CSV table of all heavy atoms in Angstrom, one decimal:
chain,number,residue,atom,x,y,z
A,227,PHE,N,107.5,72.5,88.4
A,227,PHE,CA,106.5,73.7,88.7
A,227,PHE,C,105.6,74.0,87.6
A,227,PHE,O,104.4,74.4,87.8
A,227,PHE,CB,107.2,75.0,89.0
A,227,PHE,CG,107.8,75.0,90.4
A,227,PHE,CD1,109.2,75.2,90.6
A,227,PHE,CD2,107.0,74.8,91.5
A,227,PHE,CE1,109.7,75.2,92.0
A,227,PHE,CE2,107.5,74.8,92.8
A,227,PHE,CZ,108.9,75.0,93.1
A,228,THR,N,106.0,73.7,86.3
A,228,THR,CA,105.1,74.0,85.2
A,228,THR,C,103.9,73.0,85.2
A,228,THR,O,102.8,73.4,85.0
A,228,THR,CB,106.0,73.7,83.9
A,228,THR,OG1,107.1,74.5,83.8
A,228,THR,CG2,105.1,73.9,82.6
A,229,ALA,N,104.1,71.7,85.6
A,229,ALA,CA,103.1,70.7,85.7
A,229,ALA,C,102.1,71.0,86.8
A,229,ALA,O,100.9,71.0,86.7
A,229,ALA,CB,103.6,69.3,85.7
A,230,ILE,N,102.7,71.6,87.9
A,230,ILE,CA,102.0,71.8,89.1
A,230,ILE,C,101.0,73.0,88.8
A,230,ILE,O,99.9,72.9,89.1
A,230,ILE,CB,102.9,72.2,90.2
A,230,ILE,CG1,103.8,70.9,90.7
A,230,ILE,CG2,102.1,72.7,91.4
A,230,ILE,CD1,104.8,71.2,91.7
A,231,ALA,N,101.5,73.9,88.0
A,231,ALA,CA,100.6,75.1,87.7
A,231,ALA,C,99.5,74.7,86.8
A,231,ALA,O,98.3,75.1,86.9
A,231,ALA,CB,101.5,76.2,87.1
A,232,GLU,N,99.8,73.8,85.8
A,232,GLU,CA,98.8,73.3,84.9
A,232,GLU,C,97.8,72.4,85.6
A,232,GLU,O,96.5,72.5,85.3
A,232,GLU,CB,99.4,72.5,83.8
A,232,GLU,CG,100.2,73.3,82.8
A,232,GLU,CD,99.4,74.5,82.2
A,232,GLU,OE1,98.2,74.2,81.8
A,232,GLU,OE2,99.9,75.7,82.1
A,233,ILE,N,98.1,71.6,86.5
A,233,ILE,CA,97.2,70.7,87.3
A,233,ILE,C,96.3,71.6,88.1
A,233,ILE,O,95.1,71.4,88.1
A,233,ILE,CB,98.0,69.7,88.1
A,233,ILE,CG1,98.7,68.8,87.2
A,233,ILE,CG2,97.0,69.0,89.0
A,233,ILE,CD1,99.8,67.9,88.0
A,234,MET,N,96.9,72.7,88.7
A,234,MET,CA,96.0,73.5,89.6
A,234,MET,C,95.0,74.2,88.8
A,234,MET,O,93.9,74.5,89.4
A,234,MET,CB,96.9,74.5,90.4
A,234,MET,CG,97.8,73.9,91.6
A,234,MET,SD,96.8,73.1,92.8
A,234,MET,CE,95.9,74.6,93.5
A,235,LYS,N,95.2,74.5,87.6
A,235,LYS,CA,94.1,75.1,86.7
A,235,LYS,C,92.9,74.3,86.5
A,235,LYS,O,91.9,74.7,86.3
A,235,LYS,CB,94.8,75.5,85.4
A,235,LYS,CG,95.8,76.6,85.4
A,235,LYS,CD,96.4,76.9,84.0
A,235,LYS,CE,97.5,78.0,84.0
A,235,LYS,NZ,98.0,78.1,82.7
A,236,THR,N,93.2,73.0,86.6
A,236,THR,CA,92.1,72.0,86.4
A,236,THR,C,91.4,71.5,87.7
A,236,THR,O,90.5,70.7,87.7
A,236,THR,CB,92.7,70.8,85.7
A,236,THR,OG1,93.5,70.0,86.5
A,236,THR,CG2,93.4,71.2,84.3
A,237,TYR,N,92.0,71.9,88.8
A,237,TYR,CA,91.5,71.4,90.1
A,237,TYR,C,90.2,72.0,90.5
A,237,TYR,O,90.0,73.2,90.5
A,237,TYR,CB,92.6,71.7,91.2
A,237,TYR,CG,92.1,71.3,92.5
A,237,TYR,CD1,92.2,70.0,92.9
A,237,TYR,CD2,91.6,72.1,93.4
A,237,TYR,CE1,91.8,69.5,94.2
A,237,TYR,CE2,91.1,71.7,94.7
A,237,TYR,CZ,91.2,70.4,95.1
A,237,TYR,OH,90.8,69.8,96.3
A,238,VAL,N,89.3,71.1,90.8
A,238,VAL,CA,88.0,71.5,91.3
A,238,VAL,C,87.8,70.7,92.7
A,238,VAL,O,87.9,69.5,92.7
A,238,VAL,CB,86.8,71.3,90.4
A,238,VAL,CG1,85.5,71.7,91.0
A,238,VAL,CG2,87.0,71.9,89.1
A,239,SER,N,87.6,71.4,93.8
A,239,SER,CA,87.5,70.7,95.1
A,239,SER,C,86.2,69.9,95.2
A,239,SER,O,85.3,70.1,94.3
A,239,SER,CB,87.6,71.8,96.2
A,239,SER,OG,86.4,72.5,96.2
A,240,SER,N,86.2,69.1,96.3
A,240,SER,CA,84.9,68.3,96.4
A,240,SER,C,83.7,69.2,96.6
A,240,SER,O,82.6,68.7,96.4
A,240,SER,CB,85.1,67.3,97.5
A,240,SER,OG,86.2,66.4,97.3
A,241,ASP,N,83.9,70.3,97.2
A,241,ASP,CA,82.8,71.3,97.4
A,241,ASP,C,82.7,72.4,96.3
A,241,ASP,O,82.2,73.4,96.5
A,241,ASP,CB,82.9,71.9,98.8
A,241,ASP,CG,84.2,72.7,99.0
A,241,ASP,OD1,84.9,72.9,98.1
A,241,ASP,OD2,84.4,72.9,100.2
A,242,GLU,N,83.2,72.0,95.1
A,242,GLU,CA,83.1,72.8,93.9
A,242,GLU,C,83.6,74.2,94.0
A,242,GLU,O,83.1,75.2,93.5
A,242,GLU,CB,81.5,72.8,93.5
A,242,GLU,CG,80.9,71.5,93.3
A,242,GLU,CD,79.4,71.6,93.1
A,242,GLU,OE1,78.8,72.7,93.2
A,242,GLU,OE2,78.7,70.6,92.9
A,243,SER,N,84.9,74.2,94.7
A,243,SER,CA,85.5,75.5,94.9
A,243,SER,C,87.0,75.4,94.3
A,243,SER,O,87.4,74.3,93.9
A,243,SER,CB,85.5,75.8,96.4
A,243,SER,OG,86.2,77.0,96.7
A,244,GLY,N,87.6,76.6,94.4
A,244,GLY,CA,89.1,76.5,93.9
A,244,GLY,C,89.8,75.9,95.1
A,244,GLY,O,89.5,75.7,96.2
A,245,GLY,N,91.1,75.5,94.8
A,245,GLY,CA,92.1,75.0,95.7
A,245,GLY,C,93.2,75.8,96.2
A,245,GLY,O,93.6,76.7,95.4
A,246,ILE,N,93.7,75.6,97.4
A,246,ILE,CA,94.9,76.3,97.9
A,246,ILE,C,95.9,75.2,98.3
A,246,ILE,O,95.7,74.4,99.2
A,246,ILE,CB,94.6,77.1,99.2
A,246,ILE,CG1,93.5,78.2,98.9
A,246,ILE,CG2,95.8,77.8,99.7
A,246,ILE,CD1,93.0,78.9,100.1
A,247,LEU,N,97.1,75.3,97.7
A,247,LEU,CA,98.2,74.4,97.9
A,247,LEU,C,99.1,75.1,99.0
A,247,LEU,O,99.7,76.2,98.8
A,247,LEU,CB,99.0,74.1,96.6
A,247,LEU,CG,100.2,73.2,96.8
A,247,LEU,CD1,99.6,71.7,97.3
A,247,LEU,CD2,100.9,73.0,95.5
A,248,THR,N,99.3,74.4,100.1
A,248,THR,CA,100.3,75.0,101.1
A,248,THR,C,101.2,74.0,101.5
A,248,THR,O,101.1,72.7,101.2
A,248,THR,CB,99.5,75.4,102.4
A,248,THR,OG1,98.6,74.3,102.9
A,248,THR,CG2,98.5,76.5,102.1
A,249,TYR,N,102.3,74.5,102.2
A,249,TYR,CA,103.4,73.6,102.7
A,249,TYR,C,103.8,74.0,104.1
A,249,TYR,O,104.4,75.0,104.3
A,249,TYR,CB,104.6,73.7,101.7
A,249,TYR,CG,105.8,72.8,102.2
A,249,TYR,CD1,105.7,71.5,102.0
A,249,TYR,CD2,107.0,73.4,102.6
A,249,TYR,CE1,106.8,70.7,102.3
A,249,TYR,CE2,108.1,72.7,103.0
A,249,TYR,CZ,107.9,71.3,102.8
A,249,TYR,OH,109.0,70.5,103.1
A,250,TYR,N,103.3,73.1,105.1
A,250,TYR,CA,103.6,73.4,106.5
A,250,TYR,C,104.2,72.2,107.2
A,250,TYR,O,103.7,71.0,106.9
A,250,TYR,CB,102.3,73.9,107.3
A,250,TYR,CG,101.7,75.1,106.7
A,250,TYR,CD1,100.3,75.2,106.4
A,250,TYR,CD2,102.4,76.3,106.8
A,250,TYR,CE1,99.7,76.3,105.9
A,250,TYR,CE2,101.8,77.5,106.3
A,250,TYR,CZ,100.5,77.5,105.9
A,250,TYR,OH,99.8,78.6,105.4
A,251,ASN,N,105.1,72.4,108.0
A,251,ASN,CA,105.7,71.3,108.8
A,251,ASN,C,106.2,70.1,108.0
A,251,ASN,O,106.0,69.0,108.3
A,251,ASN,CB,104.7,70.8,109.9
A,251,ASN,CG,104.2,71.8,110.8
A,251,ASN,OD1,105.0,72.7,111.3
A,251,ASN,ND2,102.9,71.9,111.1
A,252,GLY,N,106.8,70.4,106.8
A,252,GLY,CA,107.4,69.6,105.9
A,252,GLY,C,106.4,68.6,105.1
A,252,GLY,O,106.8,67.7,104.6
A,253,LYS,N,105.2,69.0,105.1
A,253,LYS,CA,104.1,68.4,104.3
A,253,LYS,C,103.3,69.4,103.5
A,253,LYS,O,103.1,70.5,103.9
A,253,LYS,CB,103.2,67.6,105.2
A,253,LYS,CG,103.9,66.4,105.9
A,253,LYS,CD,103.0,65.6,106.8
A,253,LYS,CE,103.7,64.4,107.5
A,253,LYS,NZ,104.0,63.3,106.6
A,254,PHE,N,102.8,68.8,102.3
A,254,PHE,CA,101.9,69.6,101.5
A,254,PHE,C,100.4,69.4,101.9
A,254,PHE,O,100.0,68.2,102.1
A,254,PHE,CB,102.1,69.3,100.0
A,254,PHE,CG,103.3,69.8,99.5
A,254,PHE,CD1,104.4,69.1,99.3
A,254,PHE,CD2,103.4,71.2,99.0
A,254,PHE,CE1,105.6,69.5,98.7
A,254,PHE,CE2,104.5,71.7,98.4
A,254,PHE,CZ,105.7,70.9,98.3
A,255,GLN,N,99.7,70.5,101.9
A,255,GLN,CA,98.3,70.4,102.1
A,255,GLN,C,97.4,70.9,100.8
A,255,GLN,O,98.0,71.8,100.2
A,255,GLN,CB,97.7,71.2,103.3
A,255,GLN,CG,98.4,70.8,104.6
A,255,GLN,CD,99.7,71.3,104.8
A,255,GLN,OE1,100.1,72.4,104.3
A,255,GLN,NE2,100.7,70.6,105.5
A,256,LEU,N,96.4,70.4,100.5
A,256,LEU,CA,95.5,70.8,99.3
A,256,LEU,C,94.0,70.9,99.8
A,256,LEU,O,93.4,69.8,100.1
A,256,LEU,CB,95.6,69.9,98.1
A,256,LEU,CG,94.7,70.4,97.0
A,256,LEU,CD1,95.2,71.8,96.4
A,256,LEU,CD2,94.8,69.2,95.8
A,257,GLN,N,93.5,72.1,100.1
A,257,GLN,CA,92.3,72.3,100.6
A,257,GLN,C,91.5,73.4,99.8
A,257,GLN,O,92.2,74.2,99.1
A,257,GLN,CB,92.3,72.7,102.1
A,257,GLN,CG,93.0,71.6,103.0
A,257,GLN,CD,93.1,72.1,104.4
A,257,GLN,OE1,92.3,71.8,105.2
A,257,GLN,NE2,94.2,72.8,104.7
A,258,SER,N,90.2,73.3,99.8
A,258,SER,CA,89.5,74.2,99.0
A,258,SER,C,89.5,75.6,99.7
A,258,SER,O,89.6,75.7,101.0
A,258,SER,CB,88.1,73.7,98.8
A,258,SER,OG,87.3,73.9,100.0
A,259,ILE,N,89.2,76.6,99.0
A,259,ILE,CA,89.0,78.0,99.6
A,259,ILE,C,87.8,78.0,100.5
A,259,ILE,O,87.9,78.6,101.7
A,259,ILE,CB,88.7,79.1,98.4
A,259,ILE,CG1,90.0,79.2,97.6
A,259,ILE,CG2,88.4,80.4,99.0
A,259,ILE,CD1,89.9,80.0,96.3
A,260,ARG,N,86.7,77.3,100.2
A,260,ARG,CA,85.6,77.2,101.0
A,260,ARG,C,85.9,76.5,102.3
A,260,ARG,O,85.5,77.0,103.4
A,260,ARG,CB,84.5,76.4,100.2
A,260,ARG,CG,83.2,76.5,101.0
A,260,ARG,CD,82.1,76.0,100.1
A,260,ARG,NE,80.8,76.1,100.7
A,260,ARG,CZ,79.6,76.1,100.1
A,260,ARG,NH1,79.6,75.9,98.8
A,260,ARG,NH2,78.5,76.3,100.6
A,261,SER,N,86.6,75.3,102.3
A,261,SER,CA,86.9,74.6,103.5
A,261,SER,C,87.8,75.4,104.4
A,261,SER,O,87.7,75.4,105.6
A,261,SER,CB,87.4,73.3,103.2
A,261,SER,OG,88.7,73.4,102.5
A,262,SER,N,88.7,76.3,103.8
A,262,SER,CA,89.7,77.0,104.6
A,262,SER,C,89.0,78.1,105.3
A,262,SER,O,89.1,78.4,106.5
A,262,SER,CB,90.7,77.8,103.7
A,262,SER,OG,91.6,76.8,103.0
A,263,ILE,N,87.9,78.7,104.7
A,263,ILE,CA,87.1,79.7,105.4
A,263,ILE,C,86.3,79.1,106.5
A,263,ILE,O,86.1,79.6,107.6
A,263,ILE,CB,86.1,80.4,104.4
A,263,ILE,CG1,87.0,81.2,103.5
A,263,ILE,CG2,85.1,81.2,105.1
A,263,ILE,CD1,86.2,81.9,102.3
A,264,ASN,N,85.7,77.8,106.2
A,264,ASN,CA,84.9,77.2,107.2
A,264,ASN,C,85.6,76.8,108.5
A,264,ASN,O,85.0,76.6,109.5
A,264,ASN,CB,84.3,75.9,106.6
A,264,ASN,CG,83.3,76.2,105.5
A,264,ASN,OD1,82.7,77.3,105.5
A,264,ASN,ND2,82.9,75.3,104.7
A,265,LYS,N,86.9,76.6,108.4
A,265,LYS,CA,87.6,76.1,109.6
A,265,LYS,C,88.4,77.2,110.4
A,265,LYS,O,89.1,77.0,111.3
A,265,LYS,CB,88.7,75.1,109.1
A,265,LYS,CG,89.7,75.7,108.2
A,265,LYS,CD,90.7,74.5,107.7
A,265,LYS,CE,91.7,74.1,108.7
A,265,LYS,NZ,92.7,73.2,108.2
A,266,ILE,N,88.2,78.6,110.0
A,266,ILE,CA,88.8,79.5,110.7
A,266,ILE,C,88.5,79.6,112.1
A,266,ILE,O,89.3,79.7,113.0
A,266,ILE,CB,88.5,81.0,110.2
A,266,ILE,CG1,88.9,81.0,108.6
A,266,ILE,CG2,89.2,82.1,110.9
A,266,ILE,CD1,88.4,82.3,108.0
A,267,TYR,N,87.2,79.5,112.5
A,267,TYR,CA,86.8,79.5,113.9
A,267,TYR,C,85.5,78.8,114.0
A,267,TYR,O,84.7,78.6,113.1
A,267,TYR,CB,86.6,80.9,114.3
A,267,TYR,CG,85.3,81.5,114.1
A,267,TYR,CD1,84.3,81.7,115.1
A,267,TYR,CD2,84.9,81.9,112.8
A,267,TYR,CE1,83.1,82.3,114.8
A,267,TYR,CE2,83.6,82.4,112.5
A,267,TYR,CZ,82.8,82.6,113.6
A,267,TYR,OH,81.5,83.1,113.2
A,268,LYS,N,85.2,78.3,115.3
A,268,LYS,CA,83.9,77.7,115.6
A,268,LYS,C,83.5,78.4,116.9
A,268,LYS,O,84.4,78.4,117.9
A,268,LYS,CB,84.0,76.2,115.8
A,268,LYS,CG,84.4,75.4,114.5
A,268,LYS,CD,83.3,75.5,113.5
A,268,LYS,CE,83.7,74.7,112.2
A,268,LYS,NZ,82.7,74.9,111.1
A,269,SER,N,82.3,78.8,116.9
A,269,SER,CA,81.9,79.5,118.2
A,269,SER,C,80.9,78.6,118.8
A,269,SER,O,79.8,78.4,118.2
A,269,SER,CB,81.3,81.0,117.8
A,269,SER,OG,80.9,81.6,119.0
A,270,SER,N,81.0,78.3,120.1
A,270,SER,CA,80.0,77.6,121.0
A,270,SER,C,79.2,78.7,121.6
A,270,SER,O,79.5,79.2,122.6
A,270,SER,CB,80.7,76.7,122.0
A,270,SER,OG,81.5,77.4,122.7
A,271,ARG,N,78.0,78.9,120.9
A,271,ARG,CA,77.2,80.0,121.4
A,271,ARG,C,76.2,79.6,122.5
A,271,ARG,O,75.8,78.4,122.5
A,271,ARG,CB,76.3,80.4,120.2
A,271,ARG,CG,77.1,81.0,119.0
A,271,ARG,CD,76.3,81.4,117.9
A,271,ARG,NE,77.0,81.9,116.7
A,271,ARG,CZ,76.6,82.2,115.5
A,271,ARG,NH1,75.4,81.9,115.3
A,271,ARG,NH2,77.5,82.5,114.6
A,272,PRO,N,76.0,80.5,123.5
A,272,PRO,CA,75.2,80.0,124.6
A,272,PRO,C,73.7,79.9,124.2
A,272,PRO,O,73.1,80.6,123.4
A,272,PRO,CB,75.3,81.3,125.6
A,272,PRO,CG,75.6,82.4,124.6
A,272,PRO,CD,76.5,81.8,123.5
A,273,ARG,N,73.2,78.8,124.8
A,273,ARG,CA,71.7,78.5,124.5
A,273,ARG,C,70.8,79.2,125.6
A,273,ARG,O,69.6,79.6,125.3
A,273,ARG,CB,71.4,77.0,124.6
A,273,ARG,CG,72.1,76.3,123.4
A,273,ARG,CD,72.0,74.8,123.5
A,273,ARG,NE,72.8,74.3,124.7
A,273,ARG,CZ,73.0,73.1,125.0
A,273,ARG,NH1,72.2,72.2,124.4
A,273,ARG,NH2,73.7,72.7,126.0
A,274,THR,N,71.3,79.5,126.8
A,274,THR,CA,70.6,80.2,127.8
A,274,THR,C,71.5,81.3,128.4
A,274,THR,O,72.6,81.4,128.2
A,274,THR,CB,70.1,79.2,128.9
A,274,THR,OG1,71.2,78.7,129.6
A,274,THR,CG2,69.3,78.1,128.3
A,275,ALA,N,70.7,82.1,129.1
A,275,ALA,CA,71.6,83.2,129.8
A,275,ALA,C,72.6,82.7,130.7
A,275,ALA,O,73.7,83.3,130.9
A,275,ALA,CB,70.5,84.1,130.6
A,276,SER,N,72.4,81.6,131.4
A,276,SER,CA,73.4,81.1,132.3
A,276,SER,C,74.6,80.4,131.6
A,276,SER,O,75.6,80.2,132.2
A,276,SER,CB,72.7,79.9,133.2
A,276,SER,OG,72.2,78.9,132.3
Side-chain angles (χ1 to χ4, degrees):
F227 282 126
T228 302
I230 292 171
E232 291 301 315
I233 294 170
M234 287 299 294
K235 290 178 184 177
T236 68
Y237 178 79
V238 181
S239 69
S240 299
D241 54 16
E242 302 171 359
S243 176
I246 301 174
L247 180 66
T248 54
Y249 181 70
Y250 297 124
N251 301 318
K253 293 180 182 289
F254 285 99
Q255 300 80 29
L256 179 61
Q257 300 177 94
S258 72
I259 295 173
R260 184 170 191 161
S261 65
S262 295
I263 292 174
N264 289 341
K265 64 184 283 191
I266 301 171
Y267 85 106
K268 298 292 181 185
S269 182
S270 56
R271 298 174 182 174
R273 289 172 293 180
T274 64
S276 60

